[in-house]
Amino acid sequence: MGMSKSRTCFGYPLSIFFIVVNEFCERFSYYGMRALLVLYFRNFIGWDDDLSTAIYHTFVALCYLTPILGALIADSWLGKFKTIIWLSIVYTIGQGVISISSINDLTDYNHDGTPNSMAMHVALSMIGLVLIALGTGGIKPCVSAFGGDQFEEGQEKQRNRFFSIFYLAINAGSLLSTIITPILRVQQCGIHSQQACYPLAFGVPAALMAVSLIVFVIGSGMYKKFKPQGNIMSKVAKCIGFAIKNRFRHRSKEFPMRKHWLDWAREKYDERLICQVKMVMRVMFLYIPLPMFWALFDQQGSRWTLQATTMNGKIGAIEIQPDQMQTVNAILIVIMVPIFEAVIYPLIAKCGLNFTSLKKMTVGMFLASMAFVVAAVVQVEIDKTLPVFPKAHQVQIKVLNVGNDNIAVSFPGETVTVGQMSQTDTYMTFDIDQLTSINMSSPGSPVTAVAHNFEQGHRHTLLVWALGNYHVVKDGLNKKPDKGENGIRFVNTFNNVVNITMSGQVYEDVTSYNASEYRFFSSGIKNFTISSTEFPQACSRDFQSSNLGFGSAYTYVIERQSNGCPGIRQFEDISPNTVNMALQIPQYFLLTCGEVVFSVTGLEFSYSQAPSNMKSVLQAGWLLTVAVGNIIVLIVAGAGHFSEQWAEYILFAALLLVVCIIFAIMARFYTYVNPVEIEAQFDEEEKKRKAEKSDLYPTLESVSQTKM
């Protein structure tokens, strides 16, 4: 073991400050890059949502599977220190490659603003992602375990607190980067054509990864470094394999039972290794229920963000976009970790309760389960406000009268009269087979039939402007607009074609008495310009929308005023979201408290219960539970198609509750060990044996020990 005198600061080894700064920069780098990934795939490479999401999830899963590789390299070959250095270099190169892959001008030979060889950009970004997954995953189990290594015997309290500080650094890094990198992305940059600035947004994380590496190297002289102890994983695997084989060979009655199934490896392996494998196996067994926690936890980025898109983001004076709600978790972590460390745990200890690591983890699971119950309650509230859309065999119709007469329209079973420049209050729902005839009439005129084959499963607008003059428009909106945006379409009542430009989006050639497609805008007031050859010169062509909320849709009718100039009438198609996003805060709060007591404790527990030569192995096992959790989400979301979203939340909450009870029972039977003491005992015995070998008369005590 290479040791240098450890210097301390506030009772902590000075070296851990370098490790915490290194972790902060590394997490900033990772989350900053991850925040952009889906948008980069969609907007730059041009993949659809599904492929982008699939590649993204595969990448995240890969990042949590590679820790096993990192642990293998560290424990059996390079040691933790060198593994962190070499894999950080791989990681930095990966970040650099992905930044280069997003440079538009790289293959834009004719300077028209679009790359000529997209395949090259895709290939480069995939190489970058594989290198990043290798790097971030490979150093994950080493950095936290290497930090734990810096503490002396008797510094358990500081070590526990280190894991909290470490977790805080992770979240501070992710919080800052998720705020900063999207700001960089929206900047415009480029040599020949101006584009969204992905190279800068990816370049900053790459630079921070380099900083992380440099900081880590600077602290080199102060670290306690342990030599790798041979290929531990294969030793463990062989020992387990041999024990099982040996037990199987001796399964008849005449062989006495042994205390533990691993004791059957005694014929070939020494006591110390068997004892260490027992410790690892007991912890690994406890890990079996844990992925369920991560399955719920990782839905903040998917399901909960989608839930936020059906809510209203105006909280007081500030407006929050749905995908910004995830930062609530990181903000709460930064607040809650110190509160738990300084206030809640000491209070529990004062009450004389023994709040062990496994009890904390059980409470963490329970809190996460409750968070999903709250999410389901919020979902039920949201569902009450959501519009009803047609089922597969139905059609929905509303009448919009843009003419100057009152017109009565009779459907099977009901007749509606629509005044001039007005619409029916709601969409009327009909079964497709019931919709036999539709007639329109106005006082003193004959009845005319409306002939149209409506498309089932869709909403339609029956646009009427005089008796017998009508046009049926298929709305094309079968759900609330995505991402909390607002749909706007225009209806033209002039005889000539009209063009509209609204916040940089163009509605081209809207023909007479017809409706444009919907286009989508974020919240706020939008300015728009209308132009047509038919408008008199003196007319104003600039207009403002109403203050748009979240998730609404409107039809703007361009009407001819008495002076021949255009005017605007607004009609609501889908009402804006009314349930406030602030209602999501309780579920985020519960989940974050669950994360603090579960995740921080789990890291520390994995470290404290592992033999000195298997710290990284157990850290990798811990990270593996996150990977499995992600896979569970993909399976459950793929297999169970729920008609109601709240039902899915309740299912997840129930699953975790069951798992939580199982875990509590398993934890009840777990005995905590102190690996250092056990290893010290073995060292003592070895010394004794050596002494006995030199001394020919073995003592009685050792005879009784061999009998045991």
Side-chain angles (χ1 to χ4, degrees):
M1 178 172 91
M3 280 258 332
S4 53
K5 182 78 194 85
S6 56
R7 287 170 250 178
T8 57
C9 173
F10 303 118
Y12 292 89
L14 198 55
S15 50
I16 69 153
F17 294 100
F18 291 96
I19 295 170
V20 168
V21 172
N22 160 278
E23 182 67 10
F24 170 80
C25 295
E26 188 272 325
R27 294 284 84 189
F28 184 104
S29 176
Y30 172 74
Y31 284 106
M33 182 271 319
R34 208 174 94 168
L36 304 167
L37 219 44
V38 172
L39 288 174
Y40 171 67
F41 291 156
R42 222 175 53 188
N43 304 348
F44 185 90
I45 296 181
W47 290 337
D48 64 0
D49 281 13
D50 293 341
L51 181 59
S52 302
T53 313
I55 300 270
Y56 170 81
H57 271 293
T58 313
F59 167 69
V60 175
L62 197 60
C63 288
Y64 284 100
L65 290 169
T66 46
I68 294 172
L69 193 65
L72 267 175
I73 297 172
D75 283 347
S76 56
W77 179 37
L78 285 177
K80 298 186 195 85
F81 177 71
K82 283 184 181 161
T83 306
I84 296 171
I85 300 270
W86 284 110
L87 286 175
S88 293
I89 293 172
V90 169
Y91 189 169
T92 312
I93 294 168
Q95 289 279 28
V97 170
I98 212 169
S99 181
I100 293 165
S101 81
S102 66
I103 298 175
N104 192 51
D105 297 305
L106 196 62
T107 60
D108 183 8
Y109 309 122
N110 53 3
H111 308 330
D112 63 348
T114 50
N116 295 48
S117 152
M118 193 46 93
M120 184 167 166
H121 292 273
V122 174
L124 276 174
S125 54
M126 291 304 112
I127 292 167
L129 288 180
V130 170
L131 291 176
I132 290 170
L134 261 176
T136 183
I139 65 179
K140 259 199 188 88
C142 305
V143 178
S144 52
F146 188 65
D149 284 348
Q150 305 306 311
F151 293 90
E152 308 283 340
E153 248 314 275
Q155 286 192 310
E156 278 76 18
K157 205 168 142 201
Q158 282 94 327
R159 193 182 65 207
N160 290 3
R161 197 154 292 165
F162 159 73
F163 282 103
S164 291
I165 297 170
F166 187 76
Y167 208 75
L168 205 58
I170 293 177
N171 282 283
S174 80
L175 173 64
L176 278 174
S177 64
T178 28
I179 294 169
I180 294 168
T181 41
I183 297 172
L184 299 174
R185 179 179 64 79
V186 238
Q187 308 302 321
Q188 294 283 315
C189 64
I191 306 168
H192 300 289
S193 59
Q194 295 296 304
Q195 302 262 349
C197 207
Y198 287 104
L200 176 66
F202 282 129
V204 170
L208 263 152
M209 194 51 225
V211 171
S212 160
L213 176 60
I214 294 161
V215 168
F216 188 72
V217 174
I218 292 173
S220 174
M222 299 180 203
Y223 300 138
K224 280 165 67 176
K225 300 169 195 164
F226 294 92
K227 285 204 170 66
Q229 311 202 347
N231 192 341
I232 289 293
M233 277 217 192
S234 73
K235 264 192 202 161
V236 171
K238 282 178 186 157
C239 177
I240 293 170
F242 180 77
I244 293 170
K245 254 195 328 217
N246 204 21
R247 171 79 189 90
F248 198 70
R249 282 201 208 109
H250 303 96
R251 61 184 183 280
S252 71
K253 288 279 188 293
E254 71 246 34
F255 298 104
M257 285 298 288
R258 295 187 186 180
K259 223 171 165 186
H260 192 286
W261 61 272
L262 271 166
D263 293 336
W264 288 93
R266 272 195 196 144
E267 278 80 342
K268 194 170 172 185
Y269 294 93
D270 66 342
E271 275 296 312
R272 176 184 289 234
L273 182 74
I274 293 174
C275 187
Q276 289 173 334
V277 176
K278 279 183 194 167
M279 288 188 226
V280 170
M281 291 305 290
R282 298 222 322 273
V283 178
M284 288 289 197
F285 176 65
L286 275 182
Y287 281 174
I288 296 170
L290 302 189
M292 202 61 223
F293 174 87
W294 297 114
L296 273 73
F297 182 77
D298 281 335
Q299 289 188 54
Q300 295 177 84
S302 49
R303 287 280 183 248
W304 284 16
T305 305
L306 290 174
Q307 184 184 53
T309 63
T310 58
M311 302 173 83
N312 172 9
K314 220 169 160 42
I315 300 177
I318 51 172
E319 271 202 6
I320 298 179
Q321 296 306 321
D323 47 356
Q324 288 175 325
M325 274 306 283
Q326 288 175 63
T327 52
V328 171
N329 171 253
I331 293 167
L332 282 172
I333 277 276
V334 175
I335 300 168
M336 295 311 293
V337 169
I339 290 179
F340 269 92
E341 281 299 325
V343 182
I344 297 177
Y345 292 155
L347 271 178
I348 293 173
K350 275 230 168 71
C351 300
L353 293 171
N354 182 14
F355 201 33
T356 58
S357 299
L358 294 175
K359 282 182 191 159
K360 288 179 189 171
M361 289 167 75
T362 313
V363 170
M365 288 169 132
F366 177 73
L367 288 173
S369 166
M370 289 305 103
F372 266 67
V373 173
V374 174
V377 172
V378 171
Q379 191 61 48
V380 169
E381 282 308 305
I382 293 170
D383 289 347
K384 287 180 193 164
T385 68
L386 291 183
V388 179
F389 291 99
K391 296 191 173 64
H393 59 90
Q394 297 176 325
V395 290
Q396 286 185 338
I397 306 167
K398 79 165 179 184
V399 183
L400 175 56
N401 178 2
V402 294
N404 299 326
D405 304 313
N406 295 351
I407 293 180
V409 183
S410 24
F411 296 94
E414 69 178 305
T415 301
V416 291
T417 304
V418 187
Q420 53 177 355
M421 267 305 160
S422 66
Q423 66 170 355
T424 49
D425 296 337
T426 54
Y427 280 85
M428 294 168 284
T429 309
F430 300 98
D431 269 8
I432 192 80
D433 18 324
Q434 291 174 352
L435 206 54
T436 43
S437 65
I438 305 173
N439 298 312
M440 51 198 276
S441 58
S442 71
S445 315
V447 173
T448 35
V450 173
H452 183 73
N453 39 357
F454 292 94
E455 199 174 320
Q456 39 187 347
H458 284 280
R459 288 185 151 190
H460 302 76
T461 302
L462 176 59
L463 202 58
V464 295
W465 57 94
L467 199 59
N469 291 340
Y470 66 88
H471 182 78
V472 174
V473 181
K474 181 179 132 190
D475 285 7
L477 271 188
N478 270 4
K479 58 179 186 2
K480 278 270 197 183
D482 282 340
K483 305 188 203 71
E485 293 185 323
N486 303 280
I488 303 255
R489 64 175 177 179
F490 286 90
V491 168
N492 174 13
T493 63
F494 282 81
N495 299 323
N496 288 6
V497 188
V498 171
N499 289 304
I500 303 111
T501 307
M502 186 173 202
S503 283
Q505 300 203 48
V506 182
Y507 298 83
E508 258 181 308
D509 303 342
V510 183
T511 50
S512 178
Y513 290 107
N514 201 349
S516 69
E517 295 276 313
Y518 282 102
R519 288 182 183 277
F520 298 95
F521 303 90
S522 56
S523 54
I525 294 173
K526 306 291 165 209
N527 294 317
F528 58 97
T529 314
I530 307 177
S531 57
S532 169
T533 49
E534 202 177 328
F535 301 160
Q537 279 297 310
C539 296
S540 160
R541 291 169 170 73
D542 295 325
F543 298 90
Q544 271 192 334
S545 73
S546 60
N547 193 351
L548 303 174
F550 293 79
S552 63
Y554 295 100
T555 300
Y556 281 180
V557 176
I558 305 168
E559 59 173 346
R560 186 196 299 273
Q561 295 177 314
S562 51
N563 58 2
C565 287
I568 288 290
R569 286 282 181 103
Q570 172 180 308
F571 294 98
E572 186 179 84
D573 301 334
I574 296 176
S575 57
N577 304 337
T578 48
V579 179
N580 201 299
M581 267 186 222
L583 276 183
Q584 272 197 322
I585 292 174
Q587 71 204 48
Y588 272 102
F589 177 75
L590 282 170
L591 193 62
T592 305
C593 291
E595 181 191 358
V596 173
V597 290
F598 179 88
S599 194
V600 178
T601 313
L603 268 175
E604 194 273 321
F605 173 77
S606 308
Y607 184 89
S608 72
Q609 296 298 299
S612 61
N613 54 350
M614 301 184 193
K615 302 285 191 201
S616 303
V617 175
L618 267 188
Q619 295 290 337
W622 169 254
L623 292 164
L624 193 63
T625 62
V626 182
V628 177
N630 266 327
I631 295 163
I632 292 176
V633 178
L634 292 172
I635 294 169
V636 174
H641 284 293
F642 291 89
S643 53
E644 301 292 346
Q645 182 58 54
W646 63 264
E648 189 182 300
Y649 288 144
I650 291 289
L651 172 78
F652 272 115
L655 283 173
L656 184 57
L657 204 55
V658 171
V659 167
C660 175
I661 294 164
I662 295 169
F663 181 73
I665 295 165
M666 285 164 67
R668 188 87 194 74
F669 293 104
Y670 182 84
T671 8
Y672 290 87
V673 293
N674 184 344
V676 183
E677 274 176 23
I678 293 172
E679 283 171 1
Q681 273 177 332
F682 280 113
D683 290 341
E684 278 294 298
E685 280 172 24
E686 259 172 39
K687 269 189 205 151
K688 265 191 201 157
R689 271 192 219 113
K690 278 183 187 154
E692 280 162 15
K693 269 189 187 154
S694 56
D695 196 12
L696 278 172
Y697 302 100
T699 57
L700 245 172
E701 186 189 31
S702 73
V703 176
S704 68
Q705 272 191 344
T706 48
K707 273 187 186 154
M708 276 165 69

